[in-house]
Amino acid sequence: MSNYKLGLEYAQQQDQNDNLSAYRDQFHIPKDNHGNELIYMTGNSLGLQPKITKSYINQELEDWANLGVEGHTEGKNPWLHYHEFLTETMASIVGAKPLEVVVMNSLTANLHFMMVSFYKPTPKRYKILIEADAFPSDKYAVESQLRHHGYDDKDGLILWKAREGEELANYDDLETILKQQGDEIALVMIGGVNYYTGQFFDLKRITQLGHSYGCMVGFDCAHGAGNVPLNLHDSGADFAVWCSYKYLNSGPGSLSGAFVHERHAYRKDLNRFTGWWSHNKTTRFRMRDDFDQLPGAEGWQLSNPPILSMAAIRASLDVFAAAGFDKLCQKSKQLTGYFEFLLNQLDNSDIKIITPSNPDERGCQLSIQVKNADKSLHTKLTEAGIITDWREPDVIRCAPVPLYNSFKDVYGFVERLKTILN
């Protein structure tokens, strides 16, 4: 769909023709003090709450109240196996096999647990390659892993930088880095979708390149899961991690997901941290057995999971399953393409979209760079009823999420931005 048009009537018509538009009513949309719905463009930071989430959590609260510890086996959704209720839909969203996926821990904790297994430095091969503008937590995590293993974090960290005067990372530069230093790099760890620019990297290309030089390859898909088709299994990546509170709408600070490729599923030689939830389910409660590792991603679990957080994730995943992730990705391209069209029609030399214009190289996020702007622009947008995300020094990150944002939202955003800029 590329024949976009100007005007409110066109946006309203697109919403009427959108067969996913009804899902908006399944979410709580924040309102201003006068009861008017805000234009919420921050699903890339915190997704909105599905209306069914409360009932999913309440079910577990009721079982806890009525059954106590027996809720582990006698509850409507027995807690003992609760994480398994999430696996199939989550695996479908990230393009993996159920064996390869588990929901557990928080994002950076999972990144560390994965690096315990997949960052195996030697005196010759110890460096870690990340993109230069990676999410800060990723950079801090890999730096601390280098220090933990006795290496200097400045010497051991290699940054894949955008070229001078450009915002997007270039694959030719990545190839050059690996040609020059590939035999020194133990791990390539990239954000699947860059949090700042919104660039969606070619995971398969990066994985094949890294593997060709003997590197392990992993991805932080926090800004990709629920946003773009990650196809993690086909990418061949060794591991991936992601949070669930952005596009997956599970609530602030909710649990993370982890992917481990099936070729590692039965490897007992991989170093890892373990706990009783990574032990064989059939003998877990005998309490006297030597450790017997579970196969697949479940074998990286440590503890029994927080059920209330998982209930919120389950609610959102059920909405995804009903809508269909492929359909959501299709709508996302239409909605974001329309957003890009309207921004370009402003014909304002102070505005620059730094997100790739190729729909296959981005998700729904557009990062808008505004020349000579400061955070006061973000404040004015907020006062105009628009919830966006400001990133220093001069970028507004905006995400028209296909589950609950409308074409009318996009139209309203650009009209209000135009008024503020003028």
Side-chain angles (χ1 to χ4, degrees):
M1 175 179 171
S2 58
N3 299 318
Y4 302 110
K5 297 178 183 177
L6 297 171
L8 176 59
E9 187 177 343
Y10 174 80
Q12 292 171 328
Q13 187 64 50
Q14 295 313 301
D15 286 330
Q16 289 173 12
N17 295 338
D18 172 21
N19 57 13
L20 295 175
S21 62
Y23 284 95
R24 177 183 174 89
D25 292 333
Q26 296 187 25
F27 287 82
H28 291 289
I29 311 293
K31 296 178 180 178
D32 64 17
N33 294 333
H34 304 289
N36 302 307
E37 288 185 348
L38 299 172
I39 296 177
Y40 191 86
M41 290 277 195
T42 332
N44 56 313
S45 283
L46 181 67
L48 293 182
Q49 183 189 133
K51 291 178 179 176
I52 59 173
T53 300
K54 185 178 287 188
S55 65
Y56 278 55
I57 294 174
N58 281 344
Q59 177 63 54
E60 307 318 318
L61 291 174
E62 288 177 20
D63 282 348
W64 179 23
N66 296 326
L67 299 171
V69 71
E70 298 301 322
H72 283 92
T73 54
E74 303 303 320
K76 182 179 179 182
N77 312 299
W79 303 329
L80 198 58
H81 311 292
Y82 201 100
H83 74 274
E84 296 173 19
F85 300 145
L86 315 179
T87 302
E88 197 164 316
T89 305
M90 187 68 86
S92 175
I93 288 173
V94 299
K97 297 183 177 183
L99 175 73
E100 299 173 315
V101 169
V102 68
V103 174
M104 62 180 189
N105 308 322
S106 57
L107 176 61
T108 306
N110 276 344
L111 180 55
H112 278 296
F113 288 129
M114 291 296 109
M115 286 193 284
V116 166
S117 298
F118 296 106
Y119 173 54
K120 298 182 288 186
T122 67
K124 168 71 174 168
R125 186 190 287 272
Y126 62 91
K127 295 182 178 180
I128 301 176
L129 169 64
I130 64 173
E131 80 267 35
D133 205 5
F135 192 76
S137 193
D138 288 359
K139 183 170 182 283
Y140 305 152
V142 297
E143 286 173 339
S144 70
Q145 285 283 336
L146 284 161
R147 293 192 299 269
H148 174 71
H149 287 280
Y151 299 102
D152 181 88
D153 56 32
K154 300 295 184 287
D155 168 63
L157 189 65
I158 300 174
L159 300 178
W160 175 24
K161 298 179 181 178
R163 295 177 179 181
E164 187 73 31
E166 298 180 7
E167 287 81 22
L168 304 177
N170 186 296
Y171 292 102
D172 291 341
D173 297 339
L174 180 62
E175 290 184 19
T176 299
I177 292 171
L178 283 158
K179 279 179 185 174
Q180 293 173 346
Q181 302 182 71
D183 61 348
E184 300 174 21
I185 296 172
L187 174 65
V188 176
M189 214 299 292
I190 304 293
V193 174
N194 182 267
Y195 87 101
Y196 186 72
T197 65
Q199 182 178 9
F200 175 25
F201 292 112
D202 187 333
L203 308 192
K204 189 169 188 175
R205 180 175 178 177
I206 292 171
T207 301
Q208 289 175 341
L209 185 60
H211 283 171
S212 72
Y213 286 92
C215 313
M216 289 289 185
V217 181
F219 295 98
D220 175 356
C221 296
H223 291 266
N227 178 24
V228 292
L230 293 166
N231 299 320
L232 289 177
H233 174 81
D234 290 341
S235 79
D238 295 291
F239 71 88
V241 295
W242 59 92
C243 57
S244 64
Y245 50 79
K246 294 180 172 66
Y247 296 103
L248 294 173
N249 314 311
S250 65
S254 194
L255 289 166
S256 167
F259 161 89
V260 179
H261 198 279
E262 70 171 340
R263 67 176 169 276
H264 301 300
Y266 297 93
R267 288 185 59 186
K268 297 195 175 183
D269 62 314
L270 273 175
N271 184 45
R272 70 179 81 192
F273 290 159
T274 55
W276 72 323
W277 233 248
S278 47
H279 180 90
N280 186 334
K281 296 174 188 177
T282 60
T283 59
R284 182 180 290 159
F285 291 97
R286 287 184 191 166
M287 304 296 201
R288 299 291 182 273
D289 295 326
D290 289 335
F291 181 69
D292 183 8
Q293 179 187 300
L294 280 171
E298 285 187 316
W300 272 264
Q301 296 175 110
L302 276 76
S303 306
N304 54 324
I307 299 302
L308 301 183
S309 178
M310 285 199 162
I313 298 174
R314 190 181 185 191
S316 181
L317 291 181
D318 282 355
V319 177
F320 269 91
F325 189 54
D326 289 344
K327 292 178 183 176
L328 288 168
C329 289
Q330 184 180 351
K331 177 182 173 180
S332 178
K333 287 186 176 183
Q334 295 172 352
L335 199 58
T336 307
Y338 175 58
F339 191 18
E340 180 183 42
F341 166 78
L342 291 181
L343 288 168
N344 288 335
Q345 290 300 308
L346 292 178
D347 197 25
N348 187 322
S349 59
D350 288 341
I351 285 182
K352 179 183 179 183
I353 299 171
I354 62 173
T355 307
S357 58
N358 181 348
D360 294 327
E361 294 178 9
R362 69 185 184 201
C364 68
Q365 174 184 320
L366 290 185
S367 295
I368 306 167
Q369 191 173 50
V370 186
K371 192 186 297 182
N372 302 319
D374 56 31
K375 199 172 181 181
S376 65
L377 173 62
H378 178 256
T379 302
K380 290 174 183 174
L381 283 168
T382 304
E383 291 168 350
I386 296 172
I387 307 301
T388 58
D389 184 65
W390 177 260
R391 282 292 177 265
E392 296 292 349
D394 54 4
V395 166
I396 309 167
R397 299 189 308 165
C398 310
V401 174
L403 260 176
Y404 49 75
N405 281 123
S406 63
F407 287 85
K408 188 180 174 183
D409 280 343
V410 169
Y411 174 82
F413 173 95
V414 177
E415 285 297 301
R416 294 181 202 184
L417 176 64
K418 180 166 63 176
T419 300
I420 290 168
L421 291 175
N422 290 340

